[in-house]
Amino acid sequence: MPRALITGVTGQDGSYLAELLLEKGYEVVGVVRRTSHHSCERIDHLLDRISIVAADLLDQHSLTEVVRAAQPDEVYNLAAQSYVPTSFSQPVLTGEFTALGVTRILEAVRLACPTARFYQASSSEMFGKVIETPQNERTPFHPRSPYGVAKVYGHWITVNYRESYGLYAVSGILFNHESPRRGIEFVTRKVTDGVARIKLGKARELHLGNLEAQRDWGFAGDYVEAMWRMLQQPAPSDYVIGTGTTQSVRRLVEVAFAHAGLDWRDHVVTDQAHFRPAEVDLLRADASKARRELGWTPTVGFEQLVAMMVEADLDRLKGSQ
């Protein structure tokens, strides 16, 4: 039975990845930070099937000891400070987790289990102010937030450990991927939660920032399959993962409100407080390498994804009444 170690197991991607690996017959060890409150909502249904261990991306010793004890076949580093607006208000903390945290977990693998295959969660935010569209594995990076900058560091330190120490270490440059498990602070979930609240009479307005920003949105459940496939290849390589289609935030809003039988223009307020200091205008993936070498293609379309999220938020809020 292969064993996988997942940092960030309590997050959106971590929960979907844990489910996938259990289905494939893996033993799953999830790394969590020790906190004073319970934060395992996304994996509550898995807690009797996975092992949970405590470690912290800020603490080298704890990571090394966890890797040494687990002796995993595969390590998936999904933990990070991953919310772009927070990276502007907490840039140093973002760098510690999202940049240097990658070095610490790589160093733990190098020292304690160098045969493990390592996956780093890179991000389309690394492309930032894009110089070409669509973006592929050869597109230069120009990050536009402390989060994007930190992800560039994490990406290149992964390349460095691969080339310097011969580790099987890869980065998946994932474009935006969403689900009903997405954090409520992210724009897709903010929209679908807002739609559900307005539909149920719990709210009247939804305040949003730049409606013209365009993103390549896919389903997180599809994207964790790509992560796993990257670690099954004969040689390590980095891959862009995305749908190859672009939608604006305005289109997201239109689809979400229409699914609930509402006109978005009656409820959405553009609010300057929600604009970024430096905007990323357009991201669209060229995932042809992943299609060709991994055999990966997305299975959930944009409108299906938005409908899924609106329905999940409606069900959740109805249950809380």
Side-chain angles (χ1 to χ4, degrees):
M1 178 182 293
R3 182 180 299 128
L5 183 76
I6 305 173
T7 71
V9 71
T10 61
Q12 169 189 255
D13 292 8
S15 65
Y16 281 112
L17 179 61
E19 288 176 347
L20 176 75
L21 295 177
L22 288 170
E23 290 171 6
K24 293 182 178 297
Y26 278 67
E27 179 184 347
V28 175
V29 180
V31 179
V32 301
R33 280 189 297 150
R34 178 72 180 91
T35 62
S36 59
H37 60 89
H38 180 72
S39 59
C40 294
E41 294 87 354
R42 295 183 183 91
I43 59 168
D44 273 341
H45 62 298
L46 303 176
L47 290 177
D48 61 342
R49 301 171 60 198
I50 68 177
S51 301
I52 297 294
V53 296
D56 198 306
L57 287 181
L58 302 186
D59 181 54
Q60 181 69 63
H61 178 73
S62 67
L63 292 172
T64 303
E65 289 306 301
V66 160
V67 173
R68 192 185 311 281
Q71 290 297 296
D73 300 285
E74 298 170 4
V75 175
Y76 296 86
N77 183 41
L78 310 185
Q81 192 302 100
S82 59
Y83 187 45
V84 171
T86 296
S87 78
F88 283 102
S89 61
Q90 300 183 40
V92 175
L93 182 71
T94 299
E96 287 286 354
F97 277 113
T98 307
L100 292 179
V102 185
T103 308
R104 295 185 186 103
I105 187 68
L106 279 165
E107 188 68 359
V109 170
R110 183 182 75 85
L111 293 172
C113 191
T115 59
R117 296 189 168 198
F118 178 85
Y119 172 86
Q120 164 61 14
S122 286
S123 168
S124 60
E125 286 285 333
M126 300 189 305
F127 295 121
K129 189 175 182 179
V130 299
I131 66 166
E132 63 182 10
T133 298
Q135 297 87 49
N136 60 36
E137 294 81 4
R138 297 174 302 280
T139 301
F141 301 136
H142 188 150
R144 297 269 281 172
S145 66
Y147 170 76
V149 172
K151 280 294 186 181
V152 169
Y153 176 96
H155 179 86
W156 282 115
I157 199 66
T158 301
V159 172
N160 182 259
Y161 268 66
R162 179 169 73 217
E163 295 178 351
S164 299
Y165 303 114
L167 296 184
Y168 190 113
V170 306
S171 287
I173 306 174
L174 271 55
F175 281 61
N176 296 65
H177 46 289
E178 318 297 322
S179 77
R181 301 179 193 176
R182 187 59 140 156
I184 202 79
E185 69 274 18
F186 290 88
V187 67
T188 47
R189 184 72 192 290
K190 181 179 179 179
V191 167
T192 61
D193 175 76
V195 167
R197 290 182 183 278
I198 292 168
K199 180 68 174 179
L200 297 174
K202 295 175 178 286
R204 295 186 63 185
E205 293 182 342
L206 175 62
H207 287 242
L208 296 172
N210 181 12
L211 298 183
E212 308 313 319
Q214 297 180 67
R215 294 292 185 272
D216 184 331
W217 276 302
F219 173 52
D222 287 338
Y223 287 43
V224 299
E225 171 78 24
M227 297 177 190
W228 176 78
R229 291 191 182 202
M230 288 181 213
L231 295 193
Q232 314 313 309
Q233 301 308 300
S237 189
D238 304 325
Y239 294 89
V240 161
I241 302 296
T243 70
T245 61
T246 298
Q247 311 288 343
S248 67
V249 175
R250 185 183 301 274
R251 179 61 180 158
L252 164 69
V253 168
E254 290 173 352
V255 172
F257 275 89
H259 183 76
L262 300 169
D263 187 334
W264 71 275
R265 291 166 292 190
D266 296 333
H267 304 285
V268 172
V269 176
T270 301
D271 188 337
Q272 288 295 322
H274 296 290
F275 279 69
R276 297 180 181 183
E279 184 57 76
V280 174
D281 297 314
L282 171 63
L283 295 173
R284 183 164 79 242
D286 172 7
S288 55
K289 180 182 175 184
R291 289 196 302 272
R292 183 174 65 251
E293 297 184 9
L294 304 179
W296 179 87
T297 55
T299 67
V300 178
F302 176 73
E303 295 193 3
Q304 181 185 357
L305 171 63
V306 175
M308 176 200 309
M309 293 176 67
V310 171
E311 288 298 323
D313 278 322
L314 283 168
D315 288 345
R316 176 179 57 85
L317 290 170
K318 288 174 184 175
S320 67
Q321 286 179 335

